[in-house]
Amino acid sequence: MSRDPNIITRPPRLMRAIREAMAGTESVQERLDDFVDAITEAMKVAVASIYLRRPSGELELSATRGLKKSAVHKTLMQPNEGLVGHVVQTARPLNLADAPSHPLFSYRPETGEEKYNSFLGVPILRGGRTLGVLVAQSEAQRVFNEEEVEDLLTVAMVLAEIIVDDERIGGTKGKLKGITLAPTKPETFEAKTFASGLARGLAHLHVPPVTPDNLLADNVAAEEIRLEDGVAQLRASVDAMVSGEAASLSRASKEIYETYRMFAYDRKWVKRLREAVNSGLTAEAAVERVRNEHRARLMKSPDPYMRARLHDLEDLANRLLRALSGESLSPGKKEIPEGAIIFARDLGPAELLDYDREKLAGIVLEEGAHSSHTSIICRAIGLPLIGRAEGILDRIEMGDTVLLDGQSGEIHIRPVQSRLDGFQHRVNIQGEVARAYEAIRHKPAMTRDGRHVSLQLNAGLIVDLPHMDTAGADGIGLFRTEFQFMVAEFMPRLKDQTELYQKAIMAAGQRPVTFRTLDLGGDKILPYMDPVPEENPAIGWRAIRIGLDRPALLRYQCRALIAAAANRHLRIMFPMVTTVDEFIEAKALFDTEVKRASSLGKTLPNKIEVGVMLETPSLAWSVKAVCDHADFVSVGANDLMQFFFAADRDNVRVADRYDPLHPASLSILRFIASGCQAAGVPVSICGEMAGRPLEAACLVALGFETLSMPVTGIGPVKAALLELDADKLNKLITPLISIESRLSTIRTHVREFCIEEGIPV
Ligand code: PEP
Ligand code: MG
């Protein structure tokens, strides 16, 4: 269908009228009025109206030509009321020849619309949100043709951009009275912290936005050619993904890429893009429009499979936009400015790692989840990440100053000077605190009553290793080996695994490193492994359960660990063990690998310790029995607590319903610590709670002598423990956590204790 771009093809008549309407510098209200005038004239209809959604969801008649002007800003419809409401609900155009006889028709006398028969309503969509509805009506009973529907959809897109652009700059505050387009420049979003920390930086949009200036095509033929070229590049890159790497892909991974290919070659998708360009949009705007339509529909779909497909389509649309902007689609590091804060709808771990870590200051996502791979990696590398910042992409511009407050979960956009100063003050305090931690870096964590506590690091990637020295950690108490698998595009080879483990052991020097064998399954899905759909993945086929049922991967990993620790000390532990037999079986599997290495004449580790992660209540009640077989026990408090309280740790609705400082959880932790001590087996605890000073103080009081935590916890926990009299705290805790206790947390008691004792918590 390529045309000669030198032949100027004028955009359709309606688009020309719209372009003229946009050329003026009037207020938004005047522009809306110009739009409805242009629509009535170009489409030869009697009525054109714009309904915009208020924050409450109601639809307000905001401009009209043909209905009574007196109804503007007066007529309000419920979001599900009438034909206009129906368009909002379905996010699709509604095209009727005889509107008044439609069962949903709702007559508003103040508008005088009873005499109009035909009705064409299209949603004003942006980013999956429906901002309003654009309506054309005429007296004659007729169905609007496809071209007219297309044209109106295109106008709706232009409108959406104007509305959002105006919201963003706050330039016409109050001019569209009733519709809060008011927020002026500085804005604060309250969202969810998925990786903590304070960051100040400049906004960088993962996908560059389409702005009103580049919405309308000057030359339709030239845009058609750009679109065709972009689609061809996209297809070539997807073909390369499928064919080039297919040999080394698992079936599931091939399926994912095949799905991409299917979408990239989907005739309907490309047809929709072409139609959008033909209606007068630029190629970028066409991609955006079709994406908005898909988003609005798929997000409403009750079918989780369909909703999941949205992610693939989004990814494809992003790639196409990148191709259109002239960016290469082959993988490689992306250019970003120093101190960049990335804004995206969602971000996969591979996309995150495409950015130069040195220049990244933080991440903001409209979606995201605490348990997502990206969140896990951000926590591991100490990069603040705030997610669920709904609608933020509509409000941010490339290069805006941004403050990320990973303590409160707030994002401040274009902050005023006083906020900047206050934030800077906190950053400085953090710096001072960091310097204070620096001063105690080499001090052993000894409590006032003489208990020595080993503070170790939770790690998993190469980038974590230097933290051992900078934070002054006593070793790595939890090396999450699955991270390497999660961030890789393909299954890491034996050599890659061995190299990583070796690096960790070398970086630790004389300090211990405890490798946790693969904890896959549940939410930790590998792109190259067949997904197993499960009703309750957290209590499904995961971790050691997979390792025992399909031992090849686990044996392979054991091989890598044995090789990496040649002539060194090797500590390994198995996750999600529920029964003693499971542990015995896993240990036997490991022993077979040691024997194999020995029979092949390989150099063995000079010391081997095989431990168990205690993360299930059932194993807590078998603590003594498992101690007969394990060289050490490490309590995985994150999982233990989710199973103990029956509250999915990744479900925002339930994850915070309990406090780990509940008497019941503290008494099970004491039971475990005492059981191990009685058996003479070292016990440690890893998981988020060990990295919080208040919780850490309690854990030490309960008898734990090794705590493993994220890097950010080491300084604060050490500072607290140096001032702690663990025995005194134990005396306070003991009666509070008895089985008679009615408390749902002892946090306040412990906090007061710490304040009195001068413990920094
Ligand atoms: C835990 O469950 O406490 C733990 C440390 O393991 P993960 O968070 O990786 O499940
Ligand atoms: Mg766990």
Side-chain angles (χ1 to χ4, degrees), residues 539-577:
I539 50 173
W541 198 53
R542 50 173 288 205
I544 197 64
R545 301 168 179 187
I546 302 180
L548 294 177
D549 292 354
R550 302 265 172 85
L553 198 55
L554 181 57
R555 288 181 56 177
Y556 215 56
Q557 185 181 32
C558 291
R559 245 169 249 186
L561 286 163
I562 294 164
N567 262 332
R568 308 291 292 249
H569 179 184
L570 175 61
R571 282 169 62 87
I572 78 163
M573 61 184 181
F574 302 108
M576 268 296 285
V577 173

Side-chain angles (χ1 to χ4, degrees), residues 516 519 615 639 649:
R516 189 258 300 275
D519 185 4
E615 334 189 63
D639 276 317
R649 64 194 254 195

Side-chain angles (χ1 to χ4, degrees), residues 686-729:
C686 50
E688 304 302 306
M689 72 182 289
R692 294 193 286 263
L694 213 63
E695 280 85 336
C698 292
L699 292 168
V700 171
L702 293 178
F704 286 93
E705 290 185 351
T706 299
L707 310 180
S708 190
M709 62 195 76
V711 59
T712 42
I714 304 252
V717 166
K718 192 188 279 186
L721 295 186
L722 288 173
E723 301 301 329
L724 173 71
D725 181 335
D727 202 40
K728 198 165 172 190
L729 178 58

Side-chain angles (χ1 to χ4, degrees), residues 312-547:
D312 300 339
L313 270 171
E314 292 268 332
D315 193 61
L316 221 55
N318 288 349
R319 278 168 184 272
L320 184 47
L321 285 174
R322 277 164 51 198
L324 289 170
S325 71
E327 202 186 301
S328 154
L329 292 185
S330 48
K333 288 270 173 247
K334 288 187 170 180
E335 272 311 305
I336 42 166
E338 203 71 46
I341 294 185
I342 306 294
F343 280 73
R345 195 165 302 285
D346 208 351
L347 201 66
E351 288 175 301
L352 169 65
L353 296 171
D354 266 351
Y355 287 108
D356 185 349
R357 168 70 187 97
E358 295 297 308
K359 292 183 176 168
L360 271 187
I363 309 280
V364 175
L365 302 178
E366 282 203 341
E367 294 170 6
H370 191 265
S371 64
S372 78
H373 304 167
T374 303
S375 303
I376 291 174
I377 291 171
C378 283
R379 286 197 291 275
I381 62 178
L383 185 68
L385 162 62
I386 300 188
R388 309 256 169 90
E390 231 176 279
I392 202 162
L393 291 178
D394 291 344
R395 323 286 287 193
I396 191 81
E397 305 223 33
M398 215 54 135
D400 276 347
T401 299
V402 178
L403 304 177
L404 286 199
D405 186 340
Q407 283 162 359
S408 65
E410 285 173 327
I411 305 152
H412 307 287
I413 302 174
R414 301 174 289 263
V416 290
Q417 193 57 42
S418 58
R419 169 135 10 230
L420 271 173
D421 294 344
F423 195 84
Q424 193 56 47
H425 183 62
R426 283 175 59 205
V427 172
N428 293 346
I429 290 178
Q430 217 182 32
E432 277 169 34
V433 173
R435 278 189 288 283
Y437 296 150
E438 169 67 27
I440 56 172
R441 183 156 67 108
H442 296 294
K443 263 195 170 182
M446 177 85 79
T447 62
R448 275 196 353 233
D449 55 333
R451 291 199 210 178
H452 178 255
V453 187
S454 174
L455 301 185
Q456 304 193 11
L457 199 68
N458 292 347
L461 296 169
I462 294 213
V463 286
D464 297 331
L465 301 178
H467 291 152
M468 244 186 303
D469 291 329
T470 46
D474 300 317
I476 296 178
L478 167 67
F479 193 95
R480 291 179 162 109
T481 58
E482 66 279 1
F483 278 11
Q484 183 189 24
F485 286 67
M486 285 159 60
V487 299
E489 295 276 331
F490 311 104
M491 179 86 75
R493 293 164 303 172
L494 186 66
K495 184 169 149 285
D496 304 324
Q497 295 181 44
T498 311
E499 264 174 28
L500 174 65
Y501 307 153
Q502 236 159 12
K503 283 189 180 138
I505 293 171
M506 296 311 278
Q510 293 307 309
R511 295 169 287 191
V513 180
T514 306
F515 292 98
R516 189 258 300 275
T517 61
L518 289 172
D519 185 4
L520 293 170
D523 64 301
K524 295 174 186 161
I525 310 290
L526 301 183
Y528 42 84
M529 260 173 73
D530 289 350
V532 182
E534 293 184 290
E535 281 284 310
N536 294 304
I539 50 173
W541 198 53
R542 50 173 288 205
I544 197 64
R545 301 168 179 187
I546 302 180

Side-chain angles (χ1 to χ4, degrees), residues 20-42:
E20 276 157 28
M22 281 177 64
T25 51
E26 306 98 285
S27 72
V28 173
Q29 182 65 60
E30 285 162 325
R31 276 194 175 175
L32 301 192
D33 293 341
D34 287 351
F35 268 51
V36 289
D37 289 347
I39 294 167
T40 48
E41 279 152 31

